[in-house]
Amino acid sequence: MQNSTENPHPQHPDLDLYPVDRLVEVLVEDQLNAAQAVWAVRLRLAEAVRESIPRIAAGGRLIYVGAGTSGRLGLLDAVELYPTFSWPRSRAIALVAGGADALADAVEGAEDNDQQGEADLLAVRPVANDVVLAIAASGCTPYVLGALRAARASGSLTIGFANNPNAPVLTAAQIGIALVTGAEIISGSTRLKAGTAQKIALNSFSSALMVGLNKVYGNLMVDLRPVNAKLVHRAISLTMHATGVSEEIARHTLVLCGYQVKVAIVALKCGIDAEAAKVRLAAARGNVRQAMRG
């Protein structure tokens, strides 16, 4: 397997001699390749979303698996789903080689243990409706491959993300997404554009999945969890924007609806109380447009 992420960059052998302006310029410029790498596999990402929606809608979980930067990016995507889309924390699980200690410090050798990857995956009791996202810049991380092996055996849908074409993580997964970013400006530092490509891909995947699960109305984030003052203000603004009511009415209705923006929108648009709006939303599986049609 060609491991292009480890190759020295051919264009900048004297990087350490660059003045600061030039140094920042080339680092930022190279990051543009990350977005291009994700764009090139947008159809594979769409396939992954289509295959995931029915499984997750049927009660499945998202299980992210990675080591180092890839593991931390998986964790970041998982934890942000709760405040953004009210996604249950128990249904977005992140497995990182080395466990919690690896989030702040490198745990030497953890990523090389395929048996631990398999054991960690089995410990969360994967089932057929689960979706396992295996993330590895090199595409050959043993910990991730061990988890993939266990996921396939359990019948879970497996989606592999790697930054080298034809990498084992891609071929071992049912859907392989090759984010081919090539050599890094700083040789082997995949926290650079390889990591950026992974972040874009995971953001795009999980956001599209949440739209497909009726977590968005129009382009409004209407299923957020207002866990702080900023998000409370955002909930009020979203309700105002969706319904055209004043801030006072939006705030009052949200209080009656337990600060559930979707419920408040349906209640205001249909002229019904919160309980009736909840019933409509439940019947429409959370789809605001269908709920408003009754």
Side-chain angles (χ1 to χ4, degrees):
M1 183 196 78
Q2 181 185 3
N3 195 345
S4 60
T5 56
E6 296 296 324
N7 293 337
H9 201 290
Q11 295 179 12
H12 303 286
D14 297 321
L15 185 73
D16 60 333
L17 301 178
Y18 287 5
V20 171
D21 287 356
R22 176 60 176 155
L23 178 60
V24 171
E25 181 181 84
V26 299
L27 285 165
V28 173
E29 181 182 41
D30 199 47
Q31 290 283 332
L32 299 176
N33 294 315
Q36 293 172 354
V38 182
W39 177 257
V41 292
R42 62 193 182 280
L43 296 182
R44 292 292 278 174
L45 269 173
E47 178 188 357
V49 173
R50 280 193 297 270
E51 290 294 323
S52 298
I53 286 174
R55 290 171 169 85
I56 300 300
R61 300 168 296 171
L62 293 169
I63 304 174
Y64 300 76
V65 183
T69 297
S70 298
R72 296 183 192 101
L73 287 169
L75 174 67
L76 179 62
D77 202 69
V79 300
E80 288 184 341
L81 295 179
Y82 173 75
T84 308
F85 300 109
S86 296
W87 190 249
R89 292 189 176 98
S90 61
R91 294 180 65 192
I93 300 168
L95 303 178
V96 181
D101 290 342
L103 299 180
D105 296 298
V107 177
E108 298 300 333
E111 68 177 57
D112 298 327
N113 192 334
D114 65 318
Q115 292 182 344
Q116 190 62 54
E118 183 174 7
D120 286 354
L121 199 285
L122 291 174
V124 300
R125 300 179 181 274
V127 297
N129 281 328
D130 289 337
V131 176
V132 176
L133 306 169
I135 317 155
S138 69
C140 57
T141 306
Y143 178 88
V144 177
L145 290 171
L148 264 178
R149 184 168 62 242
R152 289 296 298 267
S154 73
S156 300
L157 175 66
T158 54
I159 303 170
F161 297 86
N163 296 88
N164 285 297
N166 305 313
V169 162
L170 303 177
T171 56
Q174 288 155 279
I175 301 174
I177 299 175
L179 307 167
V180 184
T181 45
E184 298 284 2
I185 289 287
I186 300 174
S187 178
S189 181
T190 52
R191 63 180 287 273
L192 296 175
K193 68 172 179 282
T196 301
Q198 291 174 5
K199 179 72 168 76
I200 296 171
L202 291 172
N203 260 352
S204 300
F205 169 83
S206 60
S207 296
L209 178 64
M210 292 297 141
V211 173
L213 294 171
N214 300 318
K215 298 289 186 178
V216 173
Y217 168 54
N219 65 350
L220 304 180
M221 189 176 73
V222 295
D223 218 357
L224 81 165
R225 183 73 61 175
V227 294
N228 56 40
K230 178 188 73 176
L231 292 178
V232 167
H233 178 73
R234 185 175 296 166
I236 294 168
S237 296
L238 288 167
T239 303
M240 293 169 60
H241 185 88
T243 63
V245 302
S246 67
E247 179 178 349
E248 181 182 1
I249 292 174
R251 186 186 297 274
H252 176 70
T253 305
L254 281 166
V255 169
L256 296 176
C257 296
Y259 269 88
Q260 298 177 72
V261 177
K262 290 167 73 170
V263 177
I265 291 171
V266 173
L268 287 165
K269 295 282 276 188
C270 298
I272 57 180
D273 63 23
E275 290 306 312
K278 290 178 183 178
V279 169
R280 286 201 185 192
L281 278 165
R285 296 187 176 183
N287 187 300
V288 173
R289 294 186 190 276
Q290 290 183 18
M292 290 192 297
R293 290 197 292 266

